[in-house]
Amino acid sequence: MHPSDESPGRKADAEAVGETVLKLLAGLGAREQLSAQRIERDTGWSLQRSENSARTGASLGPDWGYSLELLVPAGSQRQQLRFEYRRKREDADASAICRPDFERYAATLEGLGYQRSPMTAEHDRPLGWSFQRPQLWIRIYTRAESDDAYEHECVSLITVE
């Protein structure tokens, strides 16, 4: 869901959205717990359901929006939760969506027993971090907060399987 697909006038607070997602992740113990009912209960957000997915999203101001989707990816038999911050303007920096920042997510997940490992692309270019426990795998993709704070990692995309 792109921010332009959202309900007209619907706006959320970026920090509250991030805290809600963090709370949802902290409450999951196994991939079998991924359900639209649980997401609605734990977040308080209503999901629009279709045959293969359930989703929601909202605007976070003039530069950002978010989407959350529970789906079964093509070729898979497992559900996947996907949360993403979406830029409305190409030049928007991430300071508006950087609370909680990546380190807050990492500390929370590591405190719950997740093992953290880096994810990289070609030439060891960093993409984000993987957090694993026996029954759950969380990937958090990051982006720099801004040109002035390029070492401060902000959450960009989260997938849960």
Side-chain angles (χ1 to χ4, degrees):
M1 173 183 274
H2 294 281
S4 60
D5 298 332
E6 299 150 7
S7 304
R10 185 165 169 220
K11 185 176 176 198
D13 172 78
E15 186 171 2
V17 167
E19 291 292 342
T20 299
V21 170
L22 185 55
K23 179 182 164 198
L24 173 66
L25 296 177
L28 292 172
R31 69 180 59 93
E32 293 78 25
Q33 293 177 334
L34 289 174
S35 71
Q37 295 81 8
R38 180 175 186 127
I39 293 167
E40 286 180 329
R41 184 191 75 215
D42 289 0
T43 64
W45 301 337
S46 295
L47 302 179
Q48 297 174 343
R49 292 179 170 89
S50 67
E51 184 178 333
N52 297 320
S53 70
R55 63 180 66 193
T56 190
S59 175
L60 296 170
D63 296 336
W64 292 91
Y66 78 90
S67 65
L68 179 138
E69 184 174 22
L70 182 64
L71 69 148
V72 178
S76 177
Q77 295 183 0
R78 293 188 207 167
Q79 287 199 42
Q80 179 186 80
L81 178 65
R82 182 180 173 92
F83 173 82
E84 184 172 12
Y85 288 110
R86 297 190 181 258
R87 271 194 293 212
K88 295 178 185 179
R89 292 180 328 137
E90 192 61 35
D91 63 342
D93 69 39
S95 58
I97 57 155
C98 208
R99 282 186 304 266
D101 67 2
F102 167 73
E103 286 304 323
R104 171 86 187 286
Y105 281 85
T108 299
L109 294 173
E110 288 174 321
L112 293 169
Y114 284 88
Q115 298 299 311
R116 175 179 170 176
S117 57
M119 296 184 305
T120 58
E122 68 282 342
H123 309 293
D124 292 327
R125 181 176 52 91
L127 292 175
W129 300 90
S130 173
F131 296 86
Q132 293 179 301
R133 287 196 316 200
Q135 297 297 316
L136 207 55
W137 188 2
I138 299 173
R139 292 180 194 100
I140 301 179
Y141 298 82
T142 59
R143 69 169 19 111
E145 180 176 352
S146 67
D147 289 341
D148 295 331
Y150 66 91
E151 291 183 7
H152 187 213
E153 287 182 288
C154 302
V155 171
S156 174
L157 167 69
I158 300 171
T159 62
V160 181
E161 294 179 51

